[in-house]
């Protein structure tokens, strides 16, 4: 019986038995992402295209036009554009699919070695079947999900790199089941007939459960035995695997998520609008049909002697019914068929510009940016959330040894190493003992394995890049780690080979945050070398190190401020007795049956004491070029960046700091690492409460007071799983969005996609995901826009992406330049397009009232056919492709220019209605002016001009001229091409019209070209030209006046920002430098942030990983062989448990210290003012009232004076708020900033008052960008002893008025609720914004306002 | 295409550094500034004003006389009205029009109901008219109608004789009207041709066709005086076949022939009478008929709309210009700041 794959409940695979396996019809290893083949292309593609409502609609129209009673237009007026649209789309689809075929073929045709009938044969990937035994060689990609059977390495071990799957680049160990690992050679493997029964295909990367039945025995299989598709075999010569899942069933493919058809928000809006236009069209049709009914009854029936009704028509109602359909045909041009195709063409043009951009070309990897999807360009101008992978995206995944601290003559140096410090080199050369010990430590204390293929060609296999960097550094300073055995370490010290006896490895784990080795040197002295996080190591030093410790601490701070990962190195000399004693206790601990972990830890703890400080190292997790700058620019553009990484929390946080996502200015970095639903909920809740240990009046953190408080959120994968559950989703999103930076670590590929989805679901924003590995594929696919970083090893991400380039920093150009332009152009294009079609079509509507609603067109049918595709298409296309409002440099300099896109300001329903209104106005003018003039006019020869053909030609000419003038007004960037298109279109209109009205054509087809001579006769008349000129003037003058007024009185956002940014930028530069200095006093973040796995120490000492040939102590290995893997397994859960509260609190402690850091400037000011704890409340409130008029009257000097005072008081009251102001210059934004400061101060006051009062907060960014926000809130009781003190000088209404007067825009109100706090706590606001525009108010958008609220500058007060 | 084949090395795939591909084409970026917009508005206002005044003066120099004679058909006797409004000389060329009101020549089916192939003299179409002519395609006997269709069928068939009664009470002098040259050149010479078949006369060519239902005589006998004005190239027919765009229209009937006294300078002041042979019924569909006498200028006949529209536009533009100037002076500071 066949069994359906979809209903697969368990999978049975028998090795080397294709016949048996074929019964189950498992998916083959062939991957198909393409949609069509040559035969199916035409029907399938047409079917898909006619699923588009618009296309079906036009087909329907075409059918209508074939009915003679209805047909008011010739069939070709519809079929020509429709055929054009369909064929252009088909060509594009075909090209896309061709490339998909190509990439599929490339993957499917990769070679792999498969055992077939006992022989190793080369097979293409697509021919690999489930149940096959395949051979893999070093550095090969795994072709399917394999069960590891045996490997060339001892004990069936093999190493893999899973970067494609989860982004982690450190090596992982896999081991085959012991019985199969003995199947050394091909013959044995060929006769292997074990049967695997396992779970059906799923997407869980870290889980596999199955059973191997072989020779009547059962063996349990786990993930530890699996090699997944997408991994790369490393440091293993060869291995054999049994294919369990193939092709689409592999975990990689299961994780890649569904391919979703991506549409831009403009697309969706366009579809809505098209539907509305349909509705409008039907309304028009109904109105005209009613008109027809009335007319036919009143007049038409009497007129029947001259024009009898058509035979099927027997009454006016039926006539009206036909008239309705006739008008639907005539008015169909309001839904412009060429719209879709023009949009596609424009997007294609933009995509080419992205491909062509030299500044997005990376010469190192020789890759240019590539727009792989051509349909999303304008959405690049609307991005609000960026989800970024870390490894390979933000970082280069290269660790470089950057700094070291303690106060080449080497043939083994690594040629790629570059670190130059001559004094250091000197001190090593002259034989400074301290320096030597330092490097000796680096060369000994690690778990790196070396491989020396030939003399001098050393390759280190480090399981974390950090360690590799350290050992390489030592190597380059002359302390070369050569090789190791389970009991020895051989190094070359300054050219002299030395072999140390390795006594013990005190392995790393997340709680210890350090590792040590105990070695005996050739002289017989025993020494413990330790390296680890400063937080843990500095406490374990010998007291005599105090002086050195201070110096080192300073240096550590410095390194930390630079975003480096630091380590502290120390050693301890052990006497023989001490060692003996300890090793005894260690052995006891090792053998202990219960609490082995704890006892081991205690043993380690015991020996790692009283150490001597050697120094510190700093390692740079090398960021890609320009990453911090890019992030800064993007966040200035109000784009939120979330980092989603599979890496450890420490690593992720570290990178967060080094790329300046996290800063020491941040009020608090929350770390969520709960394992249960309750703990996660609690932690999330604590974020909203933060330090205020009070009952919140209303928790709605959609708006947090990011103005003065900036939070960051770090969430672990296992907590994220809970947070993403349906009931906590909302809370998570609101919390996370209130934070300035969000870092999700240890997330699975699917979780990445879930995070993106949850944001998409809750916020109506455009999301962008950027990543480089296969683990990012699902995220890339589910985000609105997916960006792949190319040039790295894998191409999976690139293949799934919409855009690809090789450097993260190109993102800013992609978004701020290309995206912004695309959006701008698309919006301008759409506005104009709807305008021109309404202007064109509505003329028929007005004419209906004069022609008895008979569905007579105003224009010649050729004009109707060609208007959209010839006469007016090119100028608007040229504008849509080439237009620029500001040059690219400006967009990058002033990221705020990006905002209109996010707010969807340039094309929305309102803009659409304006365009429509303008179009209708134009149509009115275009109809009634010629109508009024011509109905009475004659030629100078006395021949009347009131004939239909003259009218048609006049109106058509006027229309073409008016829309050409309009496009000339809309075009902001006149290149040669624009000129050619505009003038060319006008020229083509006249030449085509003259050609169509020529006698040559008329003589051939008299019935088709009956307008013969109309163009000549009409356009020779001065009165016609006067009419056209008048119509043009009436159409254009109001538009011009409005545009001028808008630019003059209410400058566009881009203009304002351009101006204000210019002013601001001059002032911001010094602030930026201050920020850097400020970071110096920041927290230290070392935390031994290795991408490190514990257990390798044991692996080494057990000798398991050693080749038998190089193994010195075989017995040593056999003694431990059974235990280590088990230990490793047993340790696994604890390893993951390391993120539980103890470590979390440890990691969050630096963040706390940054709160105290921000206090410093405040206390400074309080000392200036002599503020004391005893300041009476009355005085405080008096000062407060003093600030009030300041706010309403906006007098900067008074506010300036008030603000510092206020803040001083705030401090004296113990309120931790960085409420202080840096007054801007004399310009009006500066005034507002001052107000802002004062308001914050007053917030703090009110916290102390047991009163309700109105508070407002004004964010400068909002003011400057014409979007205002103010907070009107009510503060809860705070200080039990404080008297009630109502303060309500600002009324919301008055406030709005003030805004209106000043900026011409009504302000928006935000009602806030203050979470009151006990003294010394931070006021926390929440609420909801009511905005004028129907924007989704996700969060406040003020990226750098923290800098505005910088420290008080005492000089300013004088 | 993007990657030039010849190149190699690390920058082999570097996109071309052309101004086009890098979007750095030299371009003109106009901006709506006060310096350009305000003068433009004043200029517009001024030029519209001048044009309007000029047109108004021109229009004032034309003369027009309209006479509605719809009711004339209801009385058996001659219908007389006295119009004493204009007692001036109609100077220059004087044009005689008939006007129809509420007659919809612009109905879709009406306009389609003609066969231009037939009218351009194609013999196949003559005997076998286009189906668009339905129901005026064949007569009761099944003969094809020439010219077919509703337009030709409904041709205006009143005829007029204008008489001048002189300044004194002398005998009535018939006013000579040129009945030809009243069509578009292209219509008369290209669009409408009579069918030709060897040396046959027009009547012989039309053999086997029927005259339109409402016609009193066949197409080849429309103008007994001038054989060249018969068939499809009859001026009255051509004038009628050029359908009007609106339900109220006038069509040229004749032009004053100014060779003889007293009409050399135009129509002298005095009493005139129009004899109408009243054939064309309009009252059943509430239509009206007029005769119109008018003189023209370079700009055409009397048309007050255009000059007035220009004057109004000019005034409004001027108003807008003033408002803009005020707004700019008062609030425009922002704008000026921005331009730095």
């Amino acid at each position: 019986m066949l069994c359906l794959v979809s209903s697969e409940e368990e999978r049975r695979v028998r090795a080397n038995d294709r016949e048996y396996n074929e019964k189950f019809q498992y998916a083959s290893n062939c991957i198909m992402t393409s949609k069509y083949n040559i035969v199916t292309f035409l029907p399938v593609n047409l079917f898909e295209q006619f699923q588009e409502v618009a296309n079906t609609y036009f087909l329907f129209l075409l059918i209508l036009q074939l009915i003679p009673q209805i047909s008011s237009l010739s069939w070709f007026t519809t079929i020509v554009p429709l055929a054009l649209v369909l064929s252009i789309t088909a060509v594009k689809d075909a090209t896309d699919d061709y490339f998909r075929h190509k990439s599929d073929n490339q993957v499917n045709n990769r070679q792999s070695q498969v055992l077939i009938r006992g022989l190793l044969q080369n097979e293409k990937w697509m021919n690999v079947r489930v149940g096959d035994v395949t051979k893999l060689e070093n550095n090969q990609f795994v072709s399917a999900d394999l069960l590891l059977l045996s490997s060339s390495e001892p004990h069936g071990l093999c190493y893999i790199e899973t970067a494609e799957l989860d982004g982690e680049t450190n090596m992982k160990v896999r081991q085959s089941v012991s019985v199969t690992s003995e199947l050394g050679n091909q013959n044995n493997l060929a006769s292997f007939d074990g049967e695997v029964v396992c779970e059906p295909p799923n997407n869980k990367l870290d889980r596999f459960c199955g059973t191997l039945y072989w020779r009547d025995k059962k063996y349990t299989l786990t993930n530890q035995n699996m090699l997944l598709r997408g991994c790369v075999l490393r440091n293993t010569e060869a291995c054999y695997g049994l294919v369990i899942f193939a092709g689409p069933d592999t975990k990689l493919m299961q994780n890649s998520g569904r391919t979703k058809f991506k549409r831009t928000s403009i697309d969706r809006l366009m579809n809505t609008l098209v539907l509305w236009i349909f509705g409008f069209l039907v309304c028009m049709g109904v109105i005209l049909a009613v008109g027809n009914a009335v007319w036919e009854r009143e007049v038409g029936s009497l007129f029947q002697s001259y024009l009898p009704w058509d035979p099927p028509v027997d009454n006016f109602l039926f006539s009206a019914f036909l008239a309705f359909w006739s008008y639907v045909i005539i008015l169909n041009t309001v839904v412009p068929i060429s719209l879709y195709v023009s949009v596609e063409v424009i997007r294609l043009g933009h995509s080419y510009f992205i491909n062509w951009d030299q500044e997005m070309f990376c010469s190192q990897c020789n890759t240019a940016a590539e727009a792989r999807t051509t349909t999303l360009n304008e959405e690049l101008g609307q991005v609000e959330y960026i989800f970024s992978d870390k490894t390979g995206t933000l970082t280069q995944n290269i660790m470089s040894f950057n700094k070291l601290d303690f106060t080449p003559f080497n043939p083994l140096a690594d040629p790629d190493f570059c670190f130059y410090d001559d004094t250091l080199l000197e001190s090593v050369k002259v034989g400074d003992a301290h320096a030597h010990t330092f490097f000796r430590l680096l060369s000994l204390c690690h778990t790196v394995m070396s491989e020396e293929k030939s003399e001098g060609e050393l390759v280190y296999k480090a399981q974390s890049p950090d360690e590799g960097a350290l050992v390489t550094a030592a190597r380059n300073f002359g302390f070369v780690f050569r090789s190791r055995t389970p009991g020895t370490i051989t190094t070359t010290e300054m050219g002299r080979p030395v072999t140390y006896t390795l006594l013990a490895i005190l392995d790393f784990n997340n709680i210890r945050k350090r590792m040590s080795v105990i070695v005996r040197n050739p002289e017989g002295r025993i020494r413990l070398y330790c390296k680890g996080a400063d937080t843990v190591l500095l406490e374990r030093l010998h007291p005599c190190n105090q002086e050195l410790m201070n110096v080192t601490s300073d240096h550590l701070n410095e390194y930390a401020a630079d975003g480096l990962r630091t380590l502290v190195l120390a050693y301890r000399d052990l006497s023989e007795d001490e060692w003996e004693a300890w090793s005894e206790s260690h052995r006891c601990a090792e053998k202990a049956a219960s609490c082995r972990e704890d006892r081991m830890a205690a043993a380690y703890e015991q020996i790692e004491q009283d150490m001597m400080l050697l120094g510190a190292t700093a390692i740079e997790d090398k960021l890609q070029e320009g990453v911090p700058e890019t992030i800064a620019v993007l966040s200035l553009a109000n784009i939120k960046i979330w980092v989603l990484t599979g890496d450890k929390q420490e690593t992720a946080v570290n990178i967060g700091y080094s790329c300046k996502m996290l800063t020491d200015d941040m009020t608090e970095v929350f770390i969520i690492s709960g394992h249960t639903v309750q703990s996660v909920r609690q932690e999330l809740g604590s974020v909203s409460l933060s330090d205020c240990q009070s009952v919140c009046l209303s928790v709605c953190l959609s708006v947090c007071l990011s103005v003065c408080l900036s939070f960051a959120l770090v969430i672990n994968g296992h907590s994220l799983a809970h947070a993403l559950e349906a009931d906590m989703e909302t809370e998570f999103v609101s919390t996370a969005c209130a934070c300035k930076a969000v870092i999700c670590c240890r997330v699975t590929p699917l979780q990445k996609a879930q995070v993106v989805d949850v944001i998409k679901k809750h916020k109506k924003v455009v999301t962008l995901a950027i990543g480089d590995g296969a683990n990012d594929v699902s995220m890339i696919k589910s985000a609105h826009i997916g960006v792949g970083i190319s040039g790295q090893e894998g191409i999976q991400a690139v293949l799934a992406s919409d855009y690809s380039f090789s450097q993260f920093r190109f993102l800013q150009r992609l978004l701020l330049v290309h995206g912004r332009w695309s959006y701008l152009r698309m919006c301008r294009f759409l506005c104009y397009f709807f305008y021109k079609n309404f202007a064109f079509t509505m003329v028929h509507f007005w004419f209906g009232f004069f022609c008895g609603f008979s569905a007579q067109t105003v224009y010649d049918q050729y004009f109707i056919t060609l208007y959209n595709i010839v006469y007016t298409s090119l100028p608007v296309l040229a504008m849509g492709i080439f237009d620029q409002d500001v040059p690219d440099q400006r967009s990058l300099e002033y990221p705020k220019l990006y905002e209109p896109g996010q707010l969807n300001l340039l094309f929305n329903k309102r803009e659409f209605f304006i365009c429509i209104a303008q179009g209708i106005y134009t149509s009115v003018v275009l109809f009634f002016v010629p109508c009024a003039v011509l109905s009475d006019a004659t030629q100078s020869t006395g021949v009347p001009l009131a004939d239909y053909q003259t009218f048609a030609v006049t109106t058509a000419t006027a229309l073409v001229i008016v829309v050409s003038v309009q496009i000339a007004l809309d075009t902001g960037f006149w290149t040669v091409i624009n000129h050619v298109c505009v003038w060319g279109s006008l020229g083509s209109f006249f030449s085509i019209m003259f050609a169509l009205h020529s006698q040559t054509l008329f003589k051939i087809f008299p019935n088709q070209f009956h307008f013969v001579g109309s163009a000549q006769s009409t356009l020779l008349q001065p009165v016609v030209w006067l009419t056209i000129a008048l119509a043009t003037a009436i159409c254009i003058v109001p538009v011009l006046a409005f545009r001028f007024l808008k630019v003059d009185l209410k400058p566009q956002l881009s203009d304002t920002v351009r101006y204000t940014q210019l002013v601001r930028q001059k002032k911001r530069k010094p602030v930026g430098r201050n920020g850097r200095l400020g970071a110096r006093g920041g927290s230290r973040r070392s935390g031994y942030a290795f991408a490190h796995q514990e257990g390798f120490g044991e692996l080494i000492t057990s000798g398991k990983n050693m080749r038998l040939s190089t193994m010195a102590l075989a017995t040593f290995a056999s003694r431990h062989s059974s235990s280590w893997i088990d230990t490793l397994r047993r340790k696994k859960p604890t390893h993951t448990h390391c993120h539980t509260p103890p470590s979390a609190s440890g990691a969050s402690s630096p963040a706390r210290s940054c709160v105290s850091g921000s206090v410093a400037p405040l206390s400074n000011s309080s000392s200036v003012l002599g503020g004391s704890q005893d300041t009476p409340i009355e005085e405080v409130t008096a000062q407060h009232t003093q600030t009030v008029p300041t706010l309403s009257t906006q007098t900067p000097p008074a506010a300036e004076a008030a603000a510092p005072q206020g803040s001083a008081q705030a401090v004296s009251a113990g309120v931790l708020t960085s409420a202080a102001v840096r007054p801007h210059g004399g310009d009006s934004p500066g005034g507002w900033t001052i107000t802002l400061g004062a308001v914050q101060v007053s917030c703090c006051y009110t916290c102390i008052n047991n009163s309700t009062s109105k508070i407002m907060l004004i964010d400068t960014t909002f003011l400057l960008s014409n979007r205002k926000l103010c907070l009107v809130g009510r503060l809860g009781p705070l200080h039990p002893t404080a008297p009630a003190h109502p303060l309500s000088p600002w009324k919301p209404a008055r406030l709005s008025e003030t805004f209106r007067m000043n900026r011409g825009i009504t302000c928006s109100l935000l009602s806030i609720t203050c979470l009151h706090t006990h003294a010394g706590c931070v006021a926390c606001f929440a609420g909801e914004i009511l905005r004028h525009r129907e924007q989704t108010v996700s969060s406040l958008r003020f990226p750098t306002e923290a800098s505005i609220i910088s420290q008080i500058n005492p000089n300013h007060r004088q | 295409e993007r990657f030039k084949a010849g190149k190699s090395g690390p920058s082999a795939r570097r996109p071309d550094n052309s101004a086009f591909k890098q979007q750095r084409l030299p371009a003109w970026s106009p901006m709506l500034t006060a310096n350009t917009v305000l003068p433009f508005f004043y200029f517009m206002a001024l030029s519209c004003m001048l044009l309007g005044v000029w047109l108004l003066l021109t229009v004032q120099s034309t003369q027009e006389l309209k006479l509605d004679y719809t009711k004339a058909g209801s009385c058996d006797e001659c219908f007389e009205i006295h119009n004493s409004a204009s007692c001036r000389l109609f100077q220059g060329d004087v044009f005689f029009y008939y006007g129809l009101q509420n007659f919809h020549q612009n109905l879709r089916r009406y306009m389609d109901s003609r066969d231009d192939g037939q009218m351009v003299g194609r013999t196949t179409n003559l005997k076998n008219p286009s189906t668009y002519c339905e129901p005026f395609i064949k007569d009761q006997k099944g003969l094809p109608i020439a010219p077919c269709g509703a337009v030709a069928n409904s041709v205006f068939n009143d005829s007029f004789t204008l008489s001048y009664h002189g300044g004194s009470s002398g005998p009535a002098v018939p006013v000579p009207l040129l009945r030809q040259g009243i069509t578009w050149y292209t219509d008369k010479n290209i669009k409408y041709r009579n069918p030709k078949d060897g040396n046959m006369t027009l009547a012989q060519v039309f053999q086997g066709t029927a005259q339109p239902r409402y016609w009193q005589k066949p197409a080849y006998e429309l103008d007994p005086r001038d054989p060249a004005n018969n068939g499809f190239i009859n001026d009255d027919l051509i004038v009628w076949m050029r359908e009007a765009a609106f339900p109220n229209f006038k069509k040229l009937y004749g032009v004053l022939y100014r060779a003889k006294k007293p009409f050399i300078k135009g129509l002298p002041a005095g009493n005139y009478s129009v004899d109408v042979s009243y054939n064309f019924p309009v009252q059943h569909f509430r239509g009206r008929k007029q005769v119109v006498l008018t003189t023209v200028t370079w700009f055409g006949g009397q048309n007050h709309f255009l000059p007035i529209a220009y004057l109004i536009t000019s005034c409004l533009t001027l108003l807008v210009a003033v408002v803009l100037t005020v707004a700019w002076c008062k609030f425009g500071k922002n704008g000026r700041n921005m331009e730095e």
Side-chain angles (χ1 to χ4, degrees), chain A residues 500-552:
Chain A
Y500 293 86
T501 312
L502 178 63
L503 298 175
I505 294 180
L506 284 61
D507 205 0
F508 169 87
N509 74 26
N510 269 12
I511 301 167
R512 284 163 40 78
K513 295 187 179 189
R514 61 188 184 270
M515 77 162 285
S516 307
V517 291
I518 302 174
V519 293
R520 189 196 298 274
N521 69 3
E523 288 84 52
R525 280 178 38 213
I526 298 172
R527 190 175 262 189
L528 175 139
Y529 290 105
C530 181
K531 64 178 182 188
D534 50 8
T535 45
V536 289
L537 219 63
L538 291 181
E539 316 170 343
R540 289 174 173 76
L541 294 179
H542 197 270
C544 69
N545 287 303
Q546 195 56 48
E547 198 179 327
L548 186 57
M549 209 160 94
N550 291 343
V551 182
T552 309

Side-chain angles (χ1 to χ4, degrees), chain B residues 193-252:
Chain B
R193 312 292 326 141
N194 273 327
K196 280 198 183 108
D197 195 356
N199 288 327
M200 283 196 276
T201 61
L202 202 55
Q204 285 167 323
V205 175
F206 272 82
Q207 204 68 46
T209 63
Q211 67 195 54
R213 218 172 286 167
Y214 294 173
W215 286 23
Q216 284 132 356
K217 42 193 174 181
Y220 48 86
E221 287 173 6
L222 284 174
D223 190 346
R225 281 166 296 179
D226 182 0
N229 195 23
N230 273 317
F232 297 142
I233 54 171
N234 178 271
D235 273 20
D236 286 333
L237 178 63
I238 293 174
V239 166
W240 181 255
M241 292 300 284
R242 181 156 282 280
E243 300 106 333
F246 305 104
N248 303 337
F249 57 88
K250 64 184 185 207
K251 284 179 186 279
L252 195 54

Side-chain angles (χ1 to χ4, degrees), chain A residues 435-456:
Chain A
H436 280 196
T437 320
F438 186 91
F439 286 112
R440 191 170 292 128
L441 186 150
L442 291 183
S443 68
L444 292 175
C445 179
H446 54 78
T447 55
V448 172
M449 280 161 260
S450 72
E451 196 173 354
E452 197 163 3
K453 290 249 165 77
S454 60
E455 179 63 31

Side-chain angles (χ1 to χ4, degrees), chain A residues 320-381:
Chain A
F321 174 74
L322 293 181
F324 172 77
W325 292 111
S326 300
Y327 268 113
V328 165
I329 294 173
I330 287 190
L331 298 178
N332 83 74
T333 44
V334 281
V335 186
I337 191 165
S338 53
L339 173 69
Y340 291 93
V341 108
S342 308
V343 164
E344 293 302 310
V345 168
I346 288 176
R347 286 172 177 162
L348 195 69
H350 295 170
S351 304
Y352 272 104
F353 281 133
I354 291 172
N355 294 343
W356 284 333
D357 194 342
Q358 272 202 321
E359 306 201 8
M360 283 163 53
F361 172 79
C362 172
S363 43
Q364 283 119 353
C365 19
N366 193 15
T367 30
E370 191 187 354
R372 299 174 44 84
T373 312
T374 55
T375 53
L376 298 173
N377 293 319
E378 79 271 1
E379 196 132 271
L380 289 174

